[in-house]
Amino acid sequence: MNKKIYPYITGTGSFTPPKILTNFDLEKIVETSNEWIISRSGIKERRIVEDGTVSSDMAFEASKIALKEAGLEPGQIDLIVVGTVTPDYLLPSTACILQDKLKIKNTAVMDVVAACSGFIYGLSVASAFIISGQFKSVLVIGVETLSKITNWSDRNTCVLFGDGAGAAVVQATTEEKGILGTFLSGDGSLANLLHIPVGGTKVPLTKENVDLKQQYIQMAGSEVFKSAVRAMEDAAIHVIQKAGLSPEEIDLVVPHQANIRIIEALAKRLKLPMEKVYVNIDRFGNTSSASVPIALDEARKKGLIQEGSRTVLVAFGGGFTWGSALIKW
Ligand code: UT7
């Protein structure tokens, strides 16, 4: 009889650009204050790319680290999945550009557009392909160059976002460990609450809409906030219960880093102490699909994830999209 196959994370990596933009720097650009940003979001600083650095560059750096840790050569990867809303180009996918930077060919390549849930959607795609037996080794990346789609004169949004990339190598194992379950959901009826109104095929870029800065992210912050708390709780509970567990049996939650108040509300609803919830929003801000894999990589490298421990990844983002994954290490 064939043994059951489990998708297991064998390596993680992350990359954030060296350039730091502090709240004090932002005070000079828009009408805001360090106190307001910290008290309303928990963010102290974020990383921003230098001109010339694009999403595939950061994805490449994070991938190299993850592959090295997994002990894999790039050529041993069967599928590359890149979660991003800031691709290098509209066509081709950033996964294709990354594949070329990794100097490999004959690999399946795709981008997943699920905003801040992009990495968890990608991880779920990787899991399904591995469980099906179609692929053995998948490279999943969450990467964003949000600084390029941010309106730097809009204080409602520009204080929140940052750039970065995180990667994970997912491989097939017959041991009962790894990604034990994932949960994905969405609600397209709420798309207008967090979106970029122009630049697609419906409303192409024109001089007029560019002058109005409509090619940048627009967000109805407090509405998004309420949905994020509800959906992240729902997603976390769903994946925990599906595995026959309860929240107190989870050793670490790695949530999307959008707002410290969302993260604290999630911990409270799950009745978990903040020591069991990983937070790095103070240093990186909201890096959309990169936030969960950067946090996961940091948590692993700080020794917060031990063999046998259970981690829940959970995210919410524009679309709306939300999702979760339960991992036994
Ligand atoms: O990553 C995907 C999902 N994204 C999220 O989950 C983000 C969710 N939303 C949030 O994190 C929060 O809603 C924000 C941090 C964006 C805003 O916090 P808030 O407590 O919801 O504030 P608010 O939007 O209700 O605005 C309160 C006030 C407003 O002034 P008035 O109208 O009350 O006079 C804003 O104009 O704060 C003002 N404000 C600012 N003041 C100083 C908005 N941005 C700023 C700013 N500095 N940067």
Side-chain angles (χ1 to χ4, degrees):
M1 202 179 83
N2 280 345
K3 276 195 167 174
K4 194 171 171 197
I5 300 171
Y6 295 89
Y8 187 62
I9 295 179
T10 52
T12 57
S14 58
F15 175 84
T16 50
K19 186 174 164 188
I20 295 174
L21 190 71
T22 66
N23 292 348
F24 299 105
D25 297 326
L26 285 164
E27 283 181 353
K28 295 177 198 137
I29 305 174
V30 285
E31 182 76 35
T32 191
S33 67
N34 178 49
E35 293 73 29
W36 191 94
I37 302 171
I38 292 179
S39 68
R40 304 315 292 155
S41 72
I43 302 166
K44 292 181 183 158
E45 58 187 43
R46 68 288 291 142
R47 302 300 180 96
I48 301 292
V49 291
E50 298 285 355
D51 277 346
T53 300
V54 292
S55 290
S56 64
D57 297 321
M58 293 189 285
F60 177 61
E61 295 303 327
S63 298
K64 277 194 297 190
I65 301 165
L67 284 162
K68 191 166 177 215
E69 200 180 287
L72 279 194
E73 291 299 324
Q76 292 174 280
I77 289 292
D78 305 312
L79 164 69
I80 300 173
V81 186
V82 175
T84 190
V85 291
T86 47
D88 290 13
Y89 304 101
L90 285 178
L91 176 74
S93 69
T94 302
C96 286
I97 316 257
L98 174 63
Q99 180 198 35
D100 190 46
K101 287 191 173 162
L102 288 167
K103 297 193 171 54
I104 53 177
K105 291 185 198 295
N106 304 320
T107 307
V109 268
M110 66 162 99
D111 282 7
V112 169
V113 184
C116 308
S117 317
F119 179 77
I120 288 175
Y121 266 70
L123 211 54
S124 197
V125 168
S127 293
F129 271 120
I130 287 173
I131 291 167
S132 78
Q134 187 165 345
F135 296 126
K136 285 196 164 53
S137 303
V138 183
L139 176 62
V140 183
I141 295 112
V143 59
E144 302 292 358
T145 316
L146 293 181
S147 59
K148 299 289 180 200
I149 58 165
T150 295
N151 178 352
W152 290 102
S153 56
D154 174 15
R155 70 174 185 173
N156 290 301
T157 53
C158 77
V159 301
L160 303 172
F161 302 124
D163 300 333
V169 173
V170 189
Q171 292 186 262
T173 176
T174 50
E175 288 176 54
E176 195 182 338
K177 62 179 188 179
I179 302 165
L180 298 186
T182 61
F183 169 78
L184 302 178
S185 194
D187 183 354
S189 72
L190 300 171
N192 287 349
L193 296 178
L194 175 45
H195 71 149
I196 299 177
V198 310
T201 52
K202 182 166 178 179
V203 190
L205 293 178
T206 61
K207 187 182 176 311
E208 287 73 27
N209 60 37
V210 168
D211 285 347
L212 292 169
K213 297 188 192 292
Q214 289 182 327
Q215 74 276 34
Y216 297 123
I217 304 177
Q218 295 181 4
M219 179 169 72
S222 51
E223 282 94 330
V224 176
F225 188 105
K226 287 176 219 144
S227 297
V229 173
R230 273 196 301 270
M232 281 171 68
E233 179 197 10
D234 184 57
I237 292 285
H238 206 101
V239 84
I240 292 168
Q241 285 182 349
K242 210 163 93 183
L245 299 168
S246 58
E248 64 267 23
E249 292 175 276
I250 302 305
D251 300 294
L252 189 70
V253 175
V254 179
H256 170 47
Q257 312 281 315
N259 189 314
I260 188 65
R261 293 182 293 132
I262 295 177
I263 297 172
E264 286 169 352
L266 174 71
K268 202 168 159 199
R269 285 170 177 230
L270 296 176
K271 298 194 178 62
L272 289 177
M274 280 303 285
E275 296 73 58
K276 282 191 164 191
V277 183
Y278 193 79
V279 175
N280 65 7
I281 189 170
D282 51 324
R283 288 176 290 125
F284 300 121
N286 179 348
T287 58
S288 188
S289 72
S291 96
V292 169
I294 292 172
L296 176 65
D297 185 47
E298 282 197 347
R300 289 183 79 228
K301 277 156 198 172
K302 283 184 181 169
L304 298 175
I305 294 173
Q306 312 292 342
E307 213 178 310
S309 71
R310 296 188 188 99
T311 305
V312 166
L313 312 181
V314 57
F316 174 88
F320 290 156
T321 62
W322 59 97
S324 57
L326 175 69
I327 305 166
K328 183 167 170 240
W329 299 90

